[in-house]
Amino acid sequence: MLLVLSAVGAVVHNVVPVGPAVAGILAYPFGVLAGDFGISMYCMLMVVAWQASLAYVLPLDCVPILTYSTGYYRMGDMARIGWVPTVALVALTATLLPALCALLGFA
């Protein structure tokens, strides 16, 4: 479930380029799903916070859009390379986050 929701968060963040807006959009539905599946609300909100800070596929987040305007790379360049860290961080969210929540006492 964390894998699917993390992937949804990554896709949403690449469509909505502002991290706080992504957190606002995803916090309530992910929180409801956490309650439905018996997952700690804190762990699910950690997924939201993590995904609100990731946008590597398209240069639409604040910092990549500033560097994109310099013309050193094209949108296709970022999409070609950006999927690798996005997939890696989605996998890390699904595998590392449960252990982190248990370590912090949120599980």
Side-chain angles (χ1 to χ4, degrees):
M1 173 145 162
L2 288 176
L3 183 68
V4 171
L5 292 178
S6 182
V8 167
V11 169
V12 168
H13 191 98
N14 283 304
V15 174
V16 179
V18 181
V22 171
I25 291 169
L26 295 179
Y28 183 74
F30 281 23
V32 169
L33 286 173
D36 290 346
F37 285 95
I39 300 171
S40 170
M41 180 81 68
Y42 299 114
C43 290
M44 194 57 72
L45 292 180
M46 289 172 91
V47 171
V48 171
W50 189 297
Q51 292 305 323
S53 66
L54 307 176
Y56 298 119
V57 177
L58 298 174
L60 297 177
D61 205 4
C62 298
V63 173
I65 199 72
L66 289 173
T67 59
Y68 180 74
S69 65
T70 62
Y72 290 118
Y73 59 90
R74 297 172 307 172
M75 185 133 350
D77 295 337
M78 192 154 178
R80 186 177 65 242
I81 301 300
W83 71 271
V84 175
T86 301
V87 169
L89 290 171
V90 165
L92 273 175
T93 302
T95 57
L96 183 66
L97 196 58
L100 182 62
C101 286
L103 180 69
L104 294 174
F106 296 138

